[in-house]
Amino acid sequence: MAKESKHAANASTVGASPRSVHDPATGHFRSLTVYAESPDCAKAARDMIRSSLQSWKLPHAVDAAQLVVSELVGNVVHHAVPDNHLAEPGAGRRIDVTVMTWPEVLILAVSDEDSTPPDLPPGDFVSPNLAGGLLEAMLPDRGRGLLITQRLAESVWWSPGIKGGKSVWCRFDLDRLRAF
């Protein structure tokens, strides 16, 4: 005698509309590991983002997502120093790049082995209207990549890794990117 399951994952799909894996309502996930010492690590991350978004029918998100992932991977290459317990002598510095979608949201994450928090810019100190023609003189010496990231994404945050390191996360509104 068969028992009926009370768990939603085992529930019958009779009468439910079938969903394709390409239906954005089901969400998507892709991840890639690159190493900071590879001269093509940022290109590999950009290529993964482009191919993922194109195959998920989100070409309008490609440019912003590629620029952001390039900036975040570049920050790891130039600034990240692995935590002592994560570093292996002679080993490359690991960078994990993740892209996820859920109905109208795109999430990018770049993870590294350095638990030092990123120096996220606090925002504008002076209104561009007040700066006039001197706007470029007011740009900070450091953190411009994260400033660009904050302008393109709806939100940017970071989280510590469970065993060390950190992840920098960016959330994009796909409707807003579609409007550009």
Side-chain angles (χ1 to χ4, degrees):
M1 174 165 100
K3 286 182 135 184
E4 185 177 325
S5 174
K6 295 180 182 178
H7 300 287
N10 296 328
S12 170
T13 57
V14 175
S17 61
R19 287 193 171 172
S20 162
V21 292
H22 298 291
D23 180 353
T26 62
H28 300 286
F29 175 90
R30 195 165 290 162
S31 188
L32 172 73
T33 296
V34 295
Y35 291 88
E37 289 72 24
S38 169
D40 294 334
C41 64
K43 181 185 181 321
R46 287 190 304 272
D47 289 349
M48 185 269 285
I49 295 297
R50 180 184 28 75
S51 67
S52 298
L53 294 176
Q54 286 177 340
S55 70
W56 299 339
K57 310 284 189 258
L58 300 169
H60 56 280
V62 171
D63 290 341
Q66 280 188 309
L67 180 55
V68 166
V69 81
S70 191
E71 290 293 340
L72 295 178
V73 168
N75 282 349
V76 175
V77 169
H78 295 292
H79 304 293
V81 177
D83 297 343
N84 286 335
H85 66 284
L86 294 176
E88 295 180 24
R93 293 174 294 150
R94 179 185 174 119
I95 304 171
D96 294 315
V97 179
T98 304
V99 60
M100 300 174 267
T101 64
W102 195 247
E104 287 302 319
V105 176
L106 169 68
I107 304 286
L108 292 180
V110 173
S111 305
D112 62 61
E113 300 170 310
D114 182 348
S115 61
T116 305
D119 189 13
L120 295 174
D124 293 331
F125 292 108
V126 176
S127 165
N129 294 334
L130 295 175
L134 301 175
L135 187 58
E136 56 277 345
M138 298 178 61
L139 288 174
D141 290 335
R142 295 178 42 123
R144 283 178 271 188
L146 287 173
L147 195 60
I148 291 168
T149 297
Q150 287 180 323
R151 293 288 186 262
L152 292 172
E154 267 59 54
S155 58
V156 179
W157 70 99
W158 74 279
S159 64
I162 294 171
K163 296 181 180 180
K166 68 178 168 302
S167 296
V168 176
W169 301 85
C170 300
R171 182 182 62 79
F172 298 86
D173 179 341
L174 289 170
D175 280 340
R176 186 174 148 254
L177 291 176
R178 195 175 285 115
F180 283 125

